[in-house]
Amino acid sequence: MAPPREKATRTASVAGAVVPMVSARSAQGVPTEPSGPPEATRARARRSGRPGEKPRGRAPPSRAEDRAEGAAAPTREGEPPAAPGPPLPSSGSRRQGSVRATRERRPQPAPVEVPGPTESPGPLVPNPGPGLRETAPGAWKLRAVLEQLRLSRREISAAVEVVNRVVDHLLRKLQQGCESEFRGVGLLRTGSYYERVKVSAPNEFDVMFKLEVPRIELQEYANSGTHYFVKFKRNPKGNPLNQFLEGEILSASKMLSKFRAIIKEEIKNIEDTDVIVERKKKGSPAVTLLMRKPMEISVDITLALESKGSWPASTLNGLPINRWLGVKVRNDMRRRPFYLVPKHAREGSGFQEETWRLSFSHVEKDLLKNHGQAKTCCETDGVKCCRKDCLKLMKYLLEQLKKKFGKRKELTKFCSYHVKTAFFHVCTQDPYDSQWLSRDLELCFDKCVTYFLQCLRTEQLQHYFIPTVNLFTPDQIDKASKEFLSKQIEDQRNNGFPVFGAF
């Protein structure tokens, strides 16, 4: 029998504010319920007159019908355990600082317990309620920052026209040309622009040229969970991909070299566009085009093998969206194809160039497009949430810090994918639309910042699709770099994010 529910709560100091913490039961492996929606906390505080009073319990907001079309077949897979989040900040006294500008002190929320499904909760972050943080004098208003980041329609139109013309030309060449090994390629648009979370300018685009490869066998490389050797289960005579085989292994480096050579030759035939192929970056799976008119635009074109088989076993407990988007949506996503890109695994000081890396960028795009529990979330007549706004602000924060410190080595290994992964984990932790209301942008953004800081301090950022993979291991990003970024983000938060107004 489970131990009785603890009634006492503890507090912790998070950047100068007292934050209610989740019960210690979670540290003992006992499932805890997700924190309740912030507006419910405010309403109860107003009725009781005692902001610190523990609520008597409340049913969770009803989940909207699943967005997956048709009935999903029952799955034998159990609900995935939630990503083990980094430890919560240690408790301490409230810090009396000069960095304050709130004119009205609001009551501190109590931890909210909401009965929910049996799935274990996601990574834990402090319960976001009124008074989680106080704004620094002269702090940038986040809505003003988002308005500043809004992409110009005129620039978008001009950029997209050029990109589409070049990409379509290359696609036709591959589909109709004599290079039969690439005749079956199709187009898959991915990346921040197509996810509608691009910030600053429409100057970077990512596209995949996908090539279906039926009946392949994957051999995991060094228990990595992410990188694989690719073999054909049955390799008929005359297979156009045979020229890329190294023994039985389909060589990622050979295919990428031929793919790059075709593109490099074909761009010479594109008229009315000043476009070049950038020098190959070591370890990069993409062929990067640089267009210089009407504005400087870079386009990463990545060759991707498409497999319609079952997802690899390393992904079984990943994609923890059961409480957020629903079991049926998860099952539907896992029945979709997965992709392998020629991103080589590290091997000592070099790379294992025959390996392919799993890619789920198409699923990430769908998660951001259909991000609400309710079907109408953020639609014209629906309730607006601030999920994507928080992701934009997190991406912009990292981008601005990189600009501020130039090419300082401590920040070179951090990228927007780290921010996006942390953001997905916070969405798992707080699955309800009512926890992301547009009016609570400041609280939600602070919640995302807090979680990312915890990941940096604990050196733990779990891959969202492959839970055995930690993106913040010391061999990927050294401890000094994580400490440097953590300090810079803390300084920005304590001073109202002045970097938002720089550059």
Side-chain angles (χ1 to χ4, degrees):
M1 180 178 295
R5 186 182 302 277
E6 299 179 11
K7 295 186 178 180
T9 59
R10 56 192 176 94
T11 60
S13 175
V14 180
V18 178
V19 182
M21 309 305 293
V22 179
S23 169
R25 298 170 68 232
S26 60
Q28 301 170 356
V30 182
T32 58
E33 291 96 9
S35 57
E39 77 278 9
T41 305
R42 288 195 286 267
R44 285 193 287 274
R46 286 195 298 269
R47 287 198 299 270
S48 66
R50 296 186 295 278
E53 182 182 3
K54 181 178 179 179
R56 297 180 180 176
R58 178 171 180 163
S62 60
R63 175 175 291 152
E65 288 297 323
D66 200 279
R67 283 185 297 276
E69 296 182 3
T75 177
R76 294 184 181 179
E77 300 167 6
E79 295 184 353
L88 296 170
S90 59
S91 60
S93 60
R94 183 183 180 98
R95 191 172 55 193
Q96 299 295 331
S98 59
V99 188
R100 290 178 185 161
T102 46
R103 299 181 181 178
E104 178 182 356
R105 190 174 300 278
R106 292 180 290 183
Q108 189 74 22
V112 180
E113 296 184 4
V114 182
T118 57
E119 179 187 348
S120 300
L124 299 176
V125 295
N127 178 27
L132 178 62
R133 285 194 57 80
E134 296 179 345
T135 309
W140 273 77
K141 297 297 182 183
L142 298 184
R143 288 292 171 198
V145 176
L146 289 170
E147 188 62 31
Q148 170 184 305
L149 298 180
R150 188 186 298 273
L151 301 181
S152 161
R153 287 193 177 185
R154 180 181 58 80
E155 288 184 340
I156 291 174
S157 179
V160 169
E161 181 183 354
V162 173
V163 170
N164 286 347
R165 183 168 67 248
V166 171
V167 169
D168 290 346
H169 179 102
L170 295 174
L171 192 63
R172 285 194 304 272
K173 169 62 178 177
L174 290 167
Q175 291 173 336
Q176 302 170 7
C178 60
E179 290 80 11
S180 59
E181 61 268 30
F182 295 115
R183 279 185 181 175
V185 295
L187 181 61
L188 185 65
R189 303 182 191 274
T190 60
S192 60
Y193 174 77
Y194 299 106
E195 292 169 346
R196 300 191 181 278
V197 290
K198 186 76 179 74
V199 297
S200 302
N203 57 359
E204 294 178 351
F205 293 80
D206 299 275
V207 296
M208 278 186 177
F209 281 8
K210 59 180 182 177
L211 181 66
E212 184 179 354
V213 282
R215 298 185 299 277
I216 60 171
E217 176 185 338
L218 300 184
Q219 180 182 328
E220 186 174 351
Y221 172 75
N223 296 317
S224 63
T226 55
H227 290 83
Y228 293 82
F229 294 113
V230 176
K231 300 179 180 180
F232 290 106
K233 290 181 179 179
R234 296 177 183 175
N235 189 14
K237 188 176 181 180
N239 184 344
L241 299 182
N242 282 345
Q243 62 180 294
F244 303 123
L245 292 178
E246 281 287 344
E248 296 182 339
I249 302 297
L250 184 62
S251 170
S253 60
K254 281 187 175 182
M255 281 196 74
L256 179 57
S257 295
K258 181 64 178 291
F259 182 70
R260 181 182 181 85
I262 294 172
I263 291 179
K264 192 171 183 179
E265 185 64 28
E266 188 57 31
I267 62 169
K268 299 175 183 177
N269 301 322
I270 300 177
E271 300 177 353
D272 303 324
T273 303
D274 183 7
V275 55
I276 61 171
V277 175
E278 287 194 337
R279 174 177 288 185
K280 187 181 186 304
K281 299 174 184 175
K282 191 174 182 180
S284 172
V287 178
T288 303
L289 306 183
L290 182 63
M291 305 174 194
R292 293 175 284 204
K293 290 182 181 180
M295 58 186 295
E296 189 167 291
I297 303 169
S298 72
V299 181
D300 281 348
I301 301 178
T302 303
L303 175 66
L305 304 181
E306 180 183 72
S307 174
K308 294 183 177 179
S310 299
W311 287 17
S314 62
T315 69
L316 184 61
N317 293 322
L319 191 59
I321 61 171
N322 286 7
R323 292 187 304 121
W324 172 20
L325 300 178
V327 176
K328 291 181 180 179
V329 172
R330 181 178 184 272
N331 291 343
D332 181 64
M333 287 182 170
R334 285 182 56 83
R335 281 194 290 268
R336 297 183 60 188
F338 66 91
Y339 295 91
L340 295 145
V341 298
K343 172 73 173 177
H344 313 312
R346 284 196 171 274
E347 190 173 69
S349 58
F351 295 92
Q352 169 47 263
E353 295 191 343
E354 312 312 326
T355 55
W356 300 78
R357 189 192 68 185
L358 292 176
S359 171
F360 299 98
S361 56
H362 60 306
V363 179
E364 294 165 9
K365 178 181 173 181
D366 281 354
L367 289 176
L368 290 171
K369 181 180 179 182
N370 303 304
H371 55 262
Q373 280 193 323
K375 294 179 181 179
T376 57
C377 181
C378 289
E379 289 186 357
T380 303
D381 298 326
V383 176
K384 303 296 187 293
C385 81
C386 63
R387 287 182 180 92
K388 292 174 77 169
D389 287 341
C390 287
L391 178 55
K392 287 180 183 178
L393 290 168
M394 290 295 295
K395 285 163 58 75
Y396 189 54
L397 175 60
L398 179 60
E399 180 182 298
Q400 290 294 87
L401 287 174
K402 283 193 162 193
K403 287 182 180 178
K404 178 179 179 179
F405 293 100
K407 295 184 178 180
R408 188 161 175 164
K409 67 176 184 178
E410 289 91 344
L411 297 182
T412 55
K413 292 186 178 180
F414 292 101
C415 63
S416 61
Y417 189 75
H418 294 130
V419 168
K420 183 163 67 171
T421 299
F423 167 77
F424 281 145
H425 282 305
V426 180
C427 289
T428 292
Q429 165 68 24
D430 288 344
Y432 305 125
D433 294 344
S434 54
Q435 291 172 305
W436 296 88
L437 293 179
S438 182
R439 69 180 182 227
D440 293 325
L441 174 62
E442 287 78 11
L443 298 176
C444 294
F445 175 59
D446 191 79
K447 172 173 58 180
C448 294
V449 171
T450 298
Y451 182 84
F452 192 65
L453 285 171
Q454 290 173 358
C455 293
L456 290 169
R457 291 168 186 152
T458 60
E459 298 188 271
Q460 291 287 331
L461 178 58
Q462 192 177 63
H463 195 292
Y464 199 65
F465 295 86
I466 309 169
T468 57
V469 173
N470 176 17
L471 300 177
F472 276 176
T473 55
D475 61 324
Q476 295 193 60
I477 304 178
D478 61 275
K479 186 177 181 65
S481 295
K482 282 172 277 201
E483 289 176 344
F484 178 82
L485 179 57
S486 178
K487 180 181 183 301
Q488 299 310 319
I489 293 177
E490 277 283 17
D491 287 347
Q492 289 295 317
R493 184 162 72 165
N494 290 338
N495 291 282
F497 298 101
V499 76
F500 281 162
F503 313 107

Coordinates of all heavy atoms in Angstrom, one line a residue, residues 223-289:
N223 N 25.5 0.9 -28.8 CA 24.4 1.2 -27.8 C 24.1 2.7 -27.7 O 23.7 3.2 -26.6 CB 24.8 0.6 -26.4 CG 24.9 -0.9 -26.4 OD1 24.1 -1.6 -27.0 ND2 26.0 -1.4 -25.8
S224 N 24.2 3.4 -28.8 CA 24.0 4.8 -28.7 C 22.5 5.2 -28.6 O 22.2 6.3 -28.1 CB 24.6 5.5 -30.0 OG 23.9 5.0 -31.2
G225 N 21.7 4.4 -29.2 CA 20.2 4.7 -29.2 C 19.9 5.6 -30.4 O 18.7 5.7 -30.8
T226 N 20.8 6.4 -30.9 CA 20.6 7.4 -31.9 C 21.1 7.0 -33.3 O 20.6 7.4 -34.3 CB 21.1 8.8 -31.5 OG1 22.5 8.6 -31.2 CG2 20.4 9.3 -30.3
H227 N 22.3 6.3 -33.3 CA 23.0 6.1 -34.6 C 22.9 4.6 -34.9 O 23.0 3.7 -34.0 CB 24.5 6.5 -34.4 CG 24.6 8.0 -34.4 ND1 24.5 8.7 -33.2 CD2 24.9 8.9 -35.4 CE1 24.7 10.0 -33.5 NE2 24.9 10.1 -34.8
Y228 N 22.8 4.3 -36.2 CA 22.6 2.9 -36.7 C 23.4 2.7 -38.0 O 23.6 3.6 -38.8 CB 21.2 2.7 -36.9 CG 20.3 2.7 -35.7 CD1 19.9 3.9 -35.1 CD2 20.0 1.5 -35.0 CE1 19.1 3.9 -33.9 CE2 19.2 1.5 -33.9 CZ 18.8 2.7 -33.3 OH 18.1 2.7 -32.2
F229 N 23.8 1.4 -38.2 CA 24.2 1.0 -39.5 C 22.9 0.5 -40.2 O 22.0 -0.1 -39.6 CB 25.2 -0.2 -39.4 CG 26.5 0.2 -38.8 CD1 26.9 -0.3 -37.5 CD2 27.4 1.0 -39.5 CE1 28.1 0.0 -37.0 CE2 28.6 1.4 -38.9 CZ 29.0 0.9 -37.7
V230 N 22.9 0.7 -41.5 CA 21.7 0.3 -42.3 C 22.1 -0.8 -43.3 O 23.1 -0.7 -44.0 CB 21.1 1.5 -43.1 CG1 20.0 1.1 -44.0 CG2 20.7 2.6 -42.2
K231 N 21.3 -1.9 -43.2 CA 21.5 -3.0 -44.1 C 20.2 -3.3 -44.9 O 19.1 -2.9 -44.4 CB 21.9 -4.3 -43.4 CG 23.2 -4.2 -42.6 CD 23.5 -5.5 -41.9 CE 24.8 -5.5 -41.1 NZ 25.1 -6.8 -40.4
F232 N 20.3 -4.0 -46.0 CA 19.1 -4.4 -46.7 C 18.7 -5.8 -46.3 O 19.6 -6.7 -46.3 CB 19.3 -4.4 -48.2 CG 19.4 -3.0 -48.8 CD1 20.6 -2.4 -49.2 CD2 18.2 -2.2 -48.9 CE1 20.7 -1.2 -49.7 CE2 18.3 -0.9 -49.4 CZ 19.5 -0.4 -49.8
K233 N 17.5 -6.1 -45.9 CA 17.1 -7.5 -45.6 C 17.1 -8.3 -46.8 O 17.6 -9.5 -46.8 CB 15.6 -7.5 -45.0 CG 15.5 -6.8 -43.6 CD 14.1 -6.9 -43.1 CE 14.0 -6.3 -41.7 NZ 12.6 -6.4 -41.2
R234 N 16.6 -7.8 -47.9 CA 16.7 -8.5 -49.2 C 17.1 -7.4 -50.2 O 16.5 -6.4 -50.4 CB 15.3 -9.0 -49.6 CG 14.7 -10.1 -48.7 CD 13.3 -10.5 -49.2 NE 12.7 -11.5 -48.3 CZ 11.5 -11.9 -48.4 NH1 10.7 -11.5 -49.4 NH2 11.0 -12.8 -47.5
N235 N 18.2 -7.7 -50.9 CA 18.8 -6.8 -51.8 C 18.7 -7.3 -53.2 O 19.6 -8.1 -53.7 CB 20.2 -6.5 -51.4 CG 20.8 -5.3 -52.2 OD1 20.1 -4.6 -52.8 ND2 22.1 -5.2 -52.2
P236 N 17.6 -6.9 -53.9 CA 17.5 -7.5 -55.3 C 18.6 -7.0 -56.2 O 19.2 -5.9 -56.1 CB 16.1 -6.9 -55.7 CG 15.9 -5.7 -54.9 CD 16.6 -6.0 -53.6
K237 N 18.9 -7.8 -57.2 CA 19.9 -7.5 -58.2 C 19.4 -6.2 -59.0 O 18.3 -6.1 -59.3 CB 20.1 -8.6 -59.2 CG 21.3 -8.5 -60.1 CD 21.5 -9.7 -61.0 CE 22.6 -9.5 -61.9 NZ 22.9 -10.7 -62.8
G238 N 20.3 -5.3 -59.2 CA 20.0 -4.1 -59.9 C 19.5 -3.0 -59.0 O 19.1 -1.9 -59.5
N239 N 19.6 -3.2 -57.7 CA 19.3 -2.1 -56.7 C 20.2 -0.9 -57.0 O 21.4 -1.0 -56.9 CB 19.4 -2.6 -55.3 CG 19.0 -1.5 -54.3 OD1 18.8 -0.4 -54.6 ND2 18.8 -2.0 -53.0
P240 N 19.6 0.3 -57.3 CA 20.5 1.4 -57.6 C 21.3 1.9 -56.5 O 22.3 2.7 -56.7 CB 19.5 2.5 -58.1 CG 18.2 2.1 -57.5 CD 18.2 0.6 -57.5
L241 N 21.0 1.5 -55.3 CA 21.8 1.9 -54.1 C 23.0 1.0 -53.8 O 23.7 1.2 -52.9 CB 20.9 2.0 -52.9 CG 19.7 3.0 -52.9 CD1 18.9 3.0 -51.6 CD2 20.2 4.4 -53.2
N242 N 23.1 -0.1 -54.6 CA 24.2 -1.0 -54.4 C 25.6 -0.3 -54.5 O 26.6 -0.8 -53.9 CB 24.2 -2.2 -55.4 CG 23.1 -3.2 -55.0 OD1 22.6 -3.2 -53.9 ND2 22.7 -4.1 -55.9
Q243 N 25.7 0.7 -55.3 CA 26.9 1.4 -55.5 C 27.4 2.1 -54.2 O 28.6 2.4 -54.1 CB 26.8 2.5 -56.6 CG 25.8 3.6 -56.3 CD 25.7 4.6 -57.4 OE1 26.7 5.3 -57.7 NE2 24.6 4.6 -58.1
F244 N 26.5 2.2 -53.2 CA 26.9 2.9 -52.0 C 27.1 1.9 -50.8 O 27.3 2.3 -49.7 CB 25.7 3.8 -51.5 CG 25.4 4.9 -52.6 CD1 24.1 5.0 -53.0 CD2 26.4 5.7 -53.1 CE1 23.7 5.9 -54.0 CE2 26.0 6.7 -54.0 CZ 24.7 6.8 -54.5
L245 N 27.2 0.6 -51.2 CA 27.4 -0.4 -50.1 C 28.9 -0.5 -49.8 O 29.8 -0.4 -50.6 CB 26.9 -1.7 -50.6 CG 25.4 -1.9 -50.7 CD1 25.0 -3.3 -51.3 CD2 24.7 -1.6 -49.4
E246 N 29.1 -0.7 -48.5 CA 30.5 -1.1 -48.0 C 30.3 -2.4 -47.3 O 29.9 -2.6 -46.2 CB 31.0 -0.1 -46.9 CG 31.5 1.2 -47.5 CD 32.9 1.0 -48.1 OE1 33.5 -0.1 -47.8 OE2 33.3 1.8 -48.9
G247 N 30.5 -3.5 -48.1 CA 30.2 -4.8 -47.7 C 28.6 -4.9 -47.7 O 28.0 -4.7 -48.8
E248 N 28.0 -5.1 -46.5 CA 26.6 -5.2 -46.5 C 26.0 -3.9 -46.0 O 24.8 -3.7 -45.9 CB 26.1 -6.3 -45.5 CG 26.5 -7.7 -46.0 CD 26.0 -8.8 -45.0 OE1 25.7 -8.4 -43.8 OE2 25.8 -9.9 -45.4
I249 N 26.8 -2.9 -45.6 CA 26.4 -1.7 -45.0 C 26.2 -0.6 -46.0 O 27.0 -0.4 -46.9 CB 27.5 -1.2 -43.9 CG1 27.7 -2.2 -42.9 CG2 27.0 0.1 -43.3 CD1 26.5 -2.5 -42.0
L250 N 25.0 0.1 -45.9 CA 24.8 1.2 -46.8 C 25.5 2.4 -46.2 O 25.2 2.9 -45.1 CB 23.3 1.5 -46.8 CG 22.8 2.6 -47.8 CD1 23.1 2.3 -49.2 CD2 21.3 2.9 -47.6
S251 N 26.5 2.9 -47.0 CA 27.4 3.9 -46.5 C 26.8 5.3 -46.5 O 26.4 5.8 -47.6 CB 28.7 3.9 -47.3 OG 29.5 5.0 -47.0
A252 N 26.7 5.9 -45.3 CA 26.1 7.3 -45.3 C 27.0 8.3 -45.9 O 26.6 9.2 -46.6 CB 25.9 7.7 -43.8
S253 N 28.4 8.1 -45.8 CA 29.3 9.1 -46.4 C 29.3 9.0 -47.9 O 29.4 10.0 -48.6 CB 30.7 8.8 -45.8 OG 31.1 7.5 -46.1
K254 N 29.2 7.8 -48.5 CA 29.1 7.6 -49.9 C 27.9 8.3 -50.5 O 28.0 9.0 -51.5 CB 29.2 6.2 -50.3 CG 30.6 5.6 -50.2 CD 30.6 4.1 -50.8 CE 32.0 3.5 -50.9 NZ 32.0 2.2 -51.4
M255 N 26.7 8.0 -49.9 CA 25.5 8.6 -50.4 C 25.5 10.1 -50.3 O 25.1 10.8 -51.2 CB 24.3 8.0 -49.7 CG 23.9 6.7 -50.1 SD 22.2 6.2 -49.6 CE 21.2 7.2 -50.7
L256 N 26.0 10.6 -49.2 CA 26.0 12.1 -49.0 C 27.0 12.7 -50.0 O 26.7 13.8 -50.5 CB 26.5 12.4 -47.6 CG 26.6 13.9 -47.2 CD1 25.3 14.6 -47.5 CD2 27.0 14.1 -45.8
S257 N 28.1 12.1 -50.3 CA 29.1 12.7 -51.2 C 28.5 12.8 -52.6 O 28.6 13.8 -53.3 CB 30.3 11.8 -51.3 OG 31.0 11.9 -50.1
K258 N 27.8 11.7 -53.1 CA 27.1 11.7 -54.4 C 26.0 12.8 -54.4 O 25.8 13.5 -55.4 CB 26.6 10.3 -54.7 CG 25.9 10.2 -56.1 CD 26.9 10.5 -57.2 CE 26.3 10.3 -58.6 NZ 25.9 8.9 -58.9
F259 N 25.2 12.8 -53.4 CA 24.1 13.8 -53.3 C 24.6 15.2 -53.4 O 24.1 16.0 -54.1 CB 23.4 13.5 -51.9 CG 22.2 14.4 -51.7 CD1 21.0 14.2 -52.4 CD2 22.2 15.4 -50.7 CE1 19.9 15.0 -52.2 CE2 21.1 16.2 -50.5 CZ 19.9 16.0 -51.2
R260 N 25.7 15.5 -52.7 CA 26.3 16.8 -52.6 C 26.9 17.2 -54.0 O 26.7 18.3 -54.5 CB 27.4 16.8 -51.6 CG 28.1 18.2 -51.5 CD 29.2 18.1 -50.4 NE 29.9 19.4 -50.3 CZ 29.5 20.4 -49.5 NH1 28.4 20.2 -48.8 NH2 30.1 21.5 -49.5
A261 N 27.5 16.2 -54.7 CA 28.1 16.5 -56.0 C 27.0 16.8 -57.0 O 27.2 17.7 -57.9 CB 28.9 15.2 -56.5
I262 N 25.9 16.1 -57.0 CA 24.8 16.4 -57.9 C 24.3 17.8 -57.7 O 24.1 18.6 -58.7 CB 23.6 15.4 -57.8 CG1 24.1 14.0 -58.2 CG2 22.4 15.8 -58.6 CD1 23.1 12.9 -57.9
I263 N 24.0 18.2 -56.5 CA 23.5 19.5 -56.1 C 24.5 20.6 -56.5 O 24.2 21.6 -57.1 CB 23.2 19.6 -54.6 CG1 21.9 18.8 -54.3 CG2 22.9 21.1 -54.3 CD1 21.5 18.8 -52.9
K264 N 25.8 20.4 -56.2 CA 26.8 21.4 -56.6 C 26.9 21.6 -58.1 O 27.1 22.8 -58.5 CB 28.2 20.9 -56.0 CG 29.2 21.9 -56.0 CD 30.5 21.4 -55.3 CE 31.5 22.5 -55.2 NZ 32.7 22.1 -54.4
E265 N 26.7 20.6 -58.9 CA 26.8 20.7 -60.3 C 25.5 21.4 -60.8 O 25.5 22.2 -61.8 CB 27.0 19.4 -60.9 CG 27.2 19.4 -62.4 CD 28.4 20.1 -62.9 OE1 29.4 20.2 -62.1 OE2 28.4 20.7 -64.0
E266 N 24.3 21.0 -60.3 CA 23.1 21.5 -60.8 C 22.8 23.0 -60.5 O 22.1 23.6 -61.3 CB 21.9 20.6 -60.3 CG 20.6 20.9 -60.9 CD 20.6 20.7 -62.5 OE1 21.4 19.9 -63.0 OE2 19.8 21.4 -63.1
I267 N 23.3 23.5 -59.4 CA 23.0 24.9 -59.2 C 23.6 25.9 -60.2 O 23.1 27.0 -60.3 CB 23.5 25.3 -57.7 CG1 25.0 25.2 -57.7 CG2 22.8 24.6 -56.7 CD1 25.6 25.9 -56.4
K268 N 24.5 25.4 -61.0 CA 25.1 26.2 -62.1 C 24.0 26.4 -63.2 O 24.2 27.4 -63.9 CB 26.3 25.5 -62.7 CG 27.4 25.2 -61.7 CD 28.5 24.4 -62.4 CE 29.7 24.1 -61.4 NZ 30.7 23.3 -62.1
N269 N 23.0 25.6 -63.2 CA 22.0 25.8 -64.2 C 20.7 26.5 -63.7 O 19.8 26.7 -64.5 CB 21.5 24.4 -64.7 CG 22.6 23.6 -65.3 OD1 23.5 24.1 -65.9 ND2 22.7 22.3 -65.0
I270 N 20.8 27.1 -62.5 CA 19.7 27.9 -62.0 C 19.9 29.3 -62.4 O 20.9 29.9 -62.0 CB 19.6 27.7 -60.5 CG1 19.4 26.3 -60.1 CG2 18.5 28.6 -59.9 CD1 19.3 26.0 -58.6
E271 N 18.9 29.8 -63.1 CA 19.1 31.2 -63.6 C 18.4 32.2 -62.6 O 17.6 31.9 -61.9 CB 18.4 31.3 -65.0 CG 19.0 30.4 -66.1 CD 18.3 30.5 -67.4 OE1 17.2 31.2 -67.4 OE2 18.8 29.9 -68.4
D272 N 18.9 33.4 -62.8 CA 18.3 34.6 -62.0 C 18.4 34.4 -60.5 O 17.7 35.1 -59.7 CB 16.8 34.8 -62.4 CG 16.6 35.0 -63.8 OD1 17.5 35.6 -64.5 OD2 15.6 34.5 -64.4
T273 N 19.3 33.6 -60.0 CA 19.6 33.4 -58.6 C 21.0 33.3 -58.3 O 21.7 32.4 -58.9 CB 18.8 32.2 -58.0 OG1 17.4 32.3 -58.3 CG2 19.0 32.1 -56.5
D274 N 21.6 34.1 -57.4 CA 22.9 34.0 -57.0 C 23.1 33.0 -55.9 O 22.8 33.3 -54.7 CB 23.4 35.4 -56.6 CG 24.9 35.4 -56.2 OD1 25.6 34.4 -56.5 OD2 25.4 36.4 -55.7
V275 N 23.4 31.8 -56.2 CA 23.5 30.7 -55.2 C 24.7 29.9 -55.3 O 25.2 29.7 -56.4 CB 22.2 29.8 -55.3 CG1 22.1 29.2 -56.7 CG2 22.3 28.7 -54.3
I276 N 25.3 29.6 -54.1 CA 26.5 28.8 -54.1 C 26.3 27.7 -53.0 O 25.4 27.8 -52.2 CB 27.8 29.6 -53.7 CG1 27.6 30.3 -52.3 CG2 28.1 30.7 -54.8 CD1 28.8 31.0 -51.8
V277 N 27.2 26.7 -53.1 CA 27.2 25.6 -52.1 C 28.3 26.0 -51.1 O 29.5 26.1 -51.5 CB 27.4 24.2 -52.7 CG1 27.6 23.2 -51.6 CG2 26.3 23.9 -53.6
E278 N 28.0 26.1 -49.8 CA 29.0 26.3 -48.8 C 29.9 25.1 -48.6 O 29.5 24.0 -48.9 CB 28.3 26.7 -47.5 CG 27.7 28.1 -47.5 CD 27.4 28.6 -46.1 OE1 27.2 27.8 -45.2 OE2 27.3 29.8 -45.9
R279 N 31.1 25.4 -48.1 CA 32.0 24.4 -47.8 C 31.4 23.4 -46.8 O 30.7 23.7 -45.9 CB 33.3 24.9 -47.2 CG 34.3 23.9 -46.8 CD 35.6 24.5 -46.3 NE 36.4 25.1 -47.4 CZ 37.6 25.6 -47.3 NH1 38.2 25.7 -46.1 NH2 38.3 26.1 -48.3
K280 N 31.7 22.1 -47.0 CA 31.2 21.0 -46.2 C 31.7 21.2 -44.7 O 32.9 21.4 -44.5 CB 31.6 19.7 -46.7 CG 30.9 18.5 -46.0 CD 31.4 17.2 -46.5 CE 30.7 16.0 -45.9 NZ 30.7 16.0 -44.5
K281 N 30.7 21.1 -43.8 CA 31.1 21.2 -42.4 C 31.3 19.8 -41.9 O 30.4 18.9 -42.1 CB 30.0 21.9 -41.6 CG 29.7 23.3 -42.0 CD 28.5 23.9 -41.3 CE 28.2 25.3 -41.8 NZ 27.0 25.9 -41.2
K282 N 32.3 19.6 -41.1 CA 32.7 18.2 -40.7 C 31.6 17.7 -39.8 O 31.1 18.4 -38.8 CB 34.0 18.3 -39.9 CG 34.6 16.9 -39.6 CD 35.9 17.0 -38.9 CE 36.5 15.7 -38.6 NZ 37.8 15.7 -38.0
G283 N 31.0 16.6 -40.1 CA 30.0 15.9 -39.3 C 28.6 16.4 -39.6 O 27.6 15.9 -39.1
S284 N 28.4 17.4 -40.5 CA 27.1 17.9 -40.8 C 26.4 17.0 -41.9 O 27.1 16.6 -42.8 CB 27.2 19.3 -41.4 OG 25.9 19.7 -41.9
P285 N 25.1 16.7 -41.7 CA 24.4 15.8 -42.7 C 23.8 16.6 -43.8 O 23.3 16.1 -44.7 CB 23.3 15.2 -41.8 CG 22.9 16.3 -40.8 CD 24.3 17.0 -40.5
A286 N 24.0 18.0 -43.8 CA 23.3 18.8 -44.8 C 24.2 19.4 -45.8 O 25.4 19.5 -45.6 CB 22.6 20.0 -44.0
V287 N 23.6 19.6 -47.0 CA 24.3 20.4 -48.0 C 23.7 21.8 -47.9 O 22.5 22.0 -48.0 CB 24.0 19.8 -49.4 CG1 24.6 20.7 -50.5 CG2 24.4 18.4 -49.5
T288 N 24.5 22.8 -47.6 CA 24.1 24.1 -47.3 C 24.2 25.0 -48.5 O 25.4 25.2 -49.0 CB 24.8 24.7 -46.1 OG1 24.6 23.9 -44.9 CG2 24.3 26.1 -45.8
L289 N 23.1 25.6 -48.9 CA 23.2 26.6 -50.0 C 23.1 28.0 -49.5 O 22.4 28.2 -48.5 CB 21.9 26.4 -51.0 CG 21.7 25.0 -51.6 CD1 20.5 25.0 -52.5 CD2 23.0 24.5 -52.3

